[in-house]
Amino acid sequence: AKEKKEITASSVGRRTSTRKRSFMKAEGENVTKKRAKKKCSAEGCMNLVRLGGVCRRHGAKLSICRNEECTNVAIKGGVCVRHGAKVKIKRCSSEGCTNNVQNGGLCIRHGGKITRKRCTREGCTNYVQ
């Protein structure tokens, strides 16, 4: 009888992994190759593509909440937060703390520091707005 050949993603030519591919150079060192992010097709625009080959500034449509008479932007599952899109807020990993995470899995009280950028002008010590 005939044996059925098992069809896998690699036998069809599709990529199964989302990890970066590493390539070997002539001297034997590994080089990772990143996938280039697409730019807006409008002339001179360097923004990233959102929908339809253009950025939001040049006409990419946002998905609107599918609930009747609602004009909010859909966050998850085609609905806005008001109509049921669950957005998980990360909490501090310190025991018994319910504050929101700021940096490194911790709230400000438990060591999650927020670093702000300084002005790059010579002699200026202000923070960037």
Side-chain angles (χ1 to χ4, degrees), residues 39-108:
K39 301 290 182 191
C40 178
S41 61
E43 189 175 326
C45 184
M46 297 302 291
N47 294 331
L48 296 178
V49 167
R50 292 290 176 201
L51 188 67
V54 291
C55 65
R56 284 179 58 184
R57 180 180 289 165
H58 293 108
K61 301 286 184 194
L62 293 175
S63 57
I64 303 298
C65 179
R66 64 179 175 213
N67 205 325
E68 288 181 29
E69 298 180 15
C70 183
T71 58
N72 294 334
V73 176
I75 303 295
K76 192 174 183 183
V79 292
C80 65
V81 174
R82 182 180 291 164
H83 294 111
K86 301 283 184 202
V87 180
K88 188 171 184 176
I89 299 170
K90 293 183 180 176
R91 301 291 179 182
C92 179
S93 61
S94 184
E95 192 174 324
C97 183
T98 59
N99 293 333
N100 294 342
V101 166
Q102 295 300 317
N103 192 5
L106 298 169
C107 66
I108 292 174

Side-chain angles (χ1 to χ4, degrees), residues 4-66:
K4 289 187 178 181
K5 185 178 178 186
E6 192 173 311
I7 297 174
T8 61
S10 60
S11 67
V12 182
R14 286 184 272 158
R15 246 176 102 180
T16 58
S17 175
T18 57
R19 295 187 323 193
K20 295 179 209 168
R21 290 185 174 181
S22 59
F23 296 92
M24 300 292 284
K25 269 191 164 181
E27 290 113 31
E29 58 186 67
N30 283 336
V31 177
T32 57
K33 194 173 186 180
K34 290 184 181 178
R35 191 178 285 176
K37 293 183 179 177
K38 293 182 180 177
K39 301 290 182 191
C40 178
S41 61
E43 189 175 326
C45 184
M46 297 302 291
N47 294 331
L48 296 178
V49 167
R50 292 290 176 201
L51 188 67
V54 291
C55 65
R56 284 179 58 184
R57 180 180 289 165
H58 293 108
K61 301 286 184 194
L62 293 175
S63 57
I64 303 298
C65 179
R66 64 179 175 213

